[in-house]
Amino acid sequence: MVAVLAYWAIRGLAAPIRYLLEYTNTPYEDKQYVQGDGPEFSRAEWMDGKPSLSADLPFANLPYFIDGTVKLTQSNAIIRYIAETNGLAGSTPEERAMIDMIANEVIDVRSRFTRLSYMKASDFAAFRQGHVTYFRNWSVKMEAFLKQRGTLWACAESISYADFLLFELLSQHVELESSMLDEFPLLAAFKARFEALEFMRVFMKKPAFSLPLNNKTATFR
């Protein structure tokens, strides 16, 4: 049975999920909803069909993921499910804790970046440099963690779901500021190593990788 991942036709919260599904060779349908153009920016394509999903998805929202009898919303729950069923959530209590820690760090920074991206243009211009400074300060700590950890991937010698989240965060911030990782050789090497994975080299040629980062109401897309 083919799994279904549903989300807006953007990278957004779904990009790391798509990466995980591709990496694990999970057959899936990438169902994409399209937001209308301005000035209305209609969400009708999603909202009109949402009530019909409530029987299977009491918390119906995007993204949602259906894998046989498993029916999930909330991107982090979806990521954890795919990771747990494919051995990508750590093999020891320490590894699992480290992976969860880095994943939650990434989620915190991503939430801040998302708020910036959806600010009106004048506010985005005013707060953009502040976020660049914030992210570089955070990157100092992340770089130190990678050096201290000394493993091939962020938390372990084996790749974990946190690496998929971290890669997308780095990738999006490089789009915001091309020199973002110039002072962080370990983070830059991590990003390059992830992009060199065979599945990723293939996926980067697919339309889903070239989707906008954010939806049509965002200033930074």
Side-chain angles (χ1 to χ4, degrees), residues 5 9 20 22-23 32 34 56 63 99 129 134 156 167 176 178 180 182 204 213:
L5 170 66
L20 280 163
E22 295 283 339
Y23 179 79
Q32 298 178 8
V34 178
D56 288 331
I99 290 165
Q129 190 54 47
Y134 163 82
F167 168 78
L176 177 70
S178 61
M180 194 70 86
D182 287 359
M204 288 171 72
L213 302 183

Side-chain angles (χ1 to χ4, degrees), residues 24-43:
T24 57
N25 293 311
T26 302
Y28 73 104
E29 174 191 353
D30 188 2
K31 183 176 179 61
Q32 298 178 8
Y33 293 91
V34 178
Q35 184 176 37
D37 293 329
E40 296 84 4
F41 297 110
S42 172
R43 301 171 70 215

Side-chain angles (χ1 to χ4, degrees), residues 88-143:
L88 299 173
S91 58
T92 68
E94 185 214 8
E95 276 188 10
R96 288 191 287 273
M98 288 291 178
I99 290 165
D100 288 348
M101 179 180 75
I102 295 305
N104 282 290
E105 278 289 328
V106 169
I107 290 164
D108 286 349
V109 178
R110 182 187 66 196
S111 295
R112 185 184 178 113
F113 185 43
T114 300
R115 288 195 297 272
L116 173 73
S117 299
Y118 282 87
M119 286 180 177
K120 62 183 181 181
S122 59
D123 289 339
F124 176 82
F127 287 98
R128 179 187 183 281
Q129 190 54 47
H131 181 80
V132 169
T133 300
Y134 163 82
F135 186 77
R136 284 184 170 142
N137 290 338
W138 180 83
S139 294
V140 169
K141 294 181 281 188
M142 192 67 216
E143 184 88 354

Side-chain angles (χ1 to χ4, degrees), residues 57-175:
L57 295 166
F59 303 103
N61 208 342
L62 295 176
Y64 68 78
F65 183 70
I66 298 175
D67 182 21
T69 59
V70 176
K71 299 169 184 180
L72 299 170
T73 54
Q74 294 293 339
S75 60
N76 299 332
I78 295 166
I79 287 170
R80 284 300 303 265
Y81 168 75
I82 298 168
E84 291 281 0
T85 54
N86 288 278
L88 299 173
S91 58
T92 68
E94 185 214 8
E95 276 188 10
R96 288 191 287 273
M98 288 291 178
I99 290 165
D100 288 348
M101 179 180 75
I102 295 305
N104 282 290
E105 278 289 328
V106 169
I107 290 164
D108 286 349
V109 178
R110 182 187 66 196
S111 295
R112 185 184 178 113
F113 185 43
T114 300
R115 288 195 297 272
L116 173 73
S117 299
Y118 282 87
M119 286 180 177
K120 62 183 181 181
S122 59
D123 289 339
F124 176 82
F127 287 98
R128 179 187 183 281
Q129 190 54 47
H131 181 80
V132 169
T133 300
Y134 163 82
F135 186 77
R136 284 184 170 142
N137 290 338
W138 180 83
S139 294
V140 169
K141 294 181 281 188
M142 192 67 216
E143 184 88 354
F145 175 83
L146 294 180
K147 183 177 181 179
Q148 179 188 65
R149 197 71 181 158
T151 49
L152 182 62
W153 296 102
C155 303
E157 289 300 320
S158 299
I159 200 167
S160 75
Y161 80 89
D163 297 303
F164 294 76
L165 287 162
L166 178 59
F167 168 78
E168 182 63 10
L169 184 73
L170 298 177
S171 180
Q172 292 197 15
H173 278 79
V174 167
E175 293 204 27

